[in-house]
C-alpha cells in the first residue's frame, strides 16, 4: 500500500517525460523487498498514472486495456537486489527510438525519486518539480536558481546527480514554473532537456 502513490506518480512522470511521443514499451521492475510480492496492482497503478493526463479517466479496470489499445507493450519483472534501498521500483520506458529509466522508493511513507537514467539522487516526489540535464560545469546551479527566483518561484528542495561529463538537477518548487521561464533556463544553461513537471500530491 505505501508504494501505490509512488507507482502512480512514476507513471505520471513517465508520461510527462515522453510528452507527445507515443510510448512503445514500459517495463516495471520490483526490486528488493517488493520482489516476489503480488505487484500486479502496482503495475496497474503505474499505467493509471501514465494515462491520467492522456484520457483523464484511467482506472483499475480500463488502464491495461487502454494501454494495449495504444500499442504499449507492458512487462513486469522482479529482482531480489535493490541497491542502497530495501525496495525500489524501476520503470524503463521506450519511445522515439530511445529507452530511459526512472527509479523510486518510499521512505517514511513519502514517495521519493532516487534516480533517472544513469543519475542517482534522492528527492521527494510530489507537487511541482523541474529537472535540468546539462553539461557538468561550474555556475549552473546558481544560474538556474537565479532565473527561477527572479520569476518569483520559491525552490523548496534541490538535488544533483552526476554521470560522466553530464549532470541532472531536480527541483521541487512551491508553484508552477511558466513555460517562458523554463525556456529561459534551457537557453541560459545551453540544453534542451529541461522540463517542468506537475505531479499529484
Amino acid at each position: 500500500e505505501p508504494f501505490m502513490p509512488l507507482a502512480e506518480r512514476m507513471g505520471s512522470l513517465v508520461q510527462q517525460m515522453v510528452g507527445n511521443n507515443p510510448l512503445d514499451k514500459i517495463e516495471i521492475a520490483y526490486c528488493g523487498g517488493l520482489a516476489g510480492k503480488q505487484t500486479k496492482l502496482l503495475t496497474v497503478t503505474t499505467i493509471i498514472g501514465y494515462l491520467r493526463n492522456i484520457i483523464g479517466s484511467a482506472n483499475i479496470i480500463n488502464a491495461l486495456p487502454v494501454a494495449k489499445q495504444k500499442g504499449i507493450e507492458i512487462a513486469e519483472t522482479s529482482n531480489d537486489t535493490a541497491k542502497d534501498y530495501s525496495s525500489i521500483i524501476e520503470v524503463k520506458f521506450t519511445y522515439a527510438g530511445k529507452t530511459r529509466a526512472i527509479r523510486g522508493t518510499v521512505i517514511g511513507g513519502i514517495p521519493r525519486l532516487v534516480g533517472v537514467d544513469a543519475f542517482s539522487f534522492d528527492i521527494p516526489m510530489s507537487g511541482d518539480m523541474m529537472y535540468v540535464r546539462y553539461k557538468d560545469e561550474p555556475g549552473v546551479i546558481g544560474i538556474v536558481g537565479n532565473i527561477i527566483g527572479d520569476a518569483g518561484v520559491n525552490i523548496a528542495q534541490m538535488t544533483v546527480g552526476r554521470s560522466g561529463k553530464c549532470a541532472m538537477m531536480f527541483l521541487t518548487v512551491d508553484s508552477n514554473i511558466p513555460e517562458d521561464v523554463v525556456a529561459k533556463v534551457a537557453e541560459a544553461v545551453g540544453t534542451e532537456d529541461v522540463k517542468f513537471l506537475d505531479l499529484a500530491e
Side-chain angles (χ1 to χ4, degrees), residues 9 18 30 36-37 72-73 86 92 99 109 112 121 132 151 157-158 163 165-166 170 178 184 188 191 201:
R9 291 172 200 181
V18 169
Y30 299 99
K37 300 278 180 69
I72 302 171
E73 181 183 348
S86 60
K92 292 182 180 179
T99 298
R112 302 187 73 89
F121 37 71
V132 187
Q157 294 191 47
M158 181 188 70
S163 177
K165 296 182 179 180
C166 293
F170 255 86
K184 190 173 182 179
T191 181
E201 289 289 354

Side-chain angles (χ1 to χ4, degrees), residues 104-166:
T105 190
V106 176
I107 300 176
I110 299 174
R112 302 187 73 89
L113 184 68
V114 297
V116 174
D117 299 330
F119 304 95
S120 297
F121 37 71
D122 185 344
I123 193 166
M125 193 177 188
S126 64
D128 295 325
M129 306 181 75
M130 186 178 84
Y131 74 79
V132 187
R133 181 173 178 166
Y134 58 95
K135 181 181 178 182
D136 191 12
E137 57 188 13
V140 176
I141 292 174
I143 291 170
V144 174
N146 285 334
I147 292 173
I148 293 175
D150 289 344
V153 177
N154 187 53
I155 298 173
Q157 294 191 47
M158 181 188 70
T159 185
V160 176
R162 305 166 78 183
S163 177
K165 296 182 179 180
C166 293

Side-chain angles (χ1 to χ4, degrees), residues 75-98:
E76 180 180 319
T77 63
S78 63
N79 187 329
D80 291 337
T81 303
K83 184 181 178 182
D84 299 326
Y85 300 92
S86 60
S87 295
I88 285 180
I89 298 177
E90 180 178 55
V91 180
K92 292 182 180 179
F93 52 104
T94 302
Y95 69 102
K98 55 187 174 184

Side-chain angles (χ1 to χ4, degrees), residues 16-30:
Q16 293 180 65
M17 292 177 71
V18 169
N20 293 325
N21 296 291
L23 182 65
D24 298 317
K25 181 178 180 179
I26 186 166
E27 181 179 345
I28 306 166
Y30 299 99

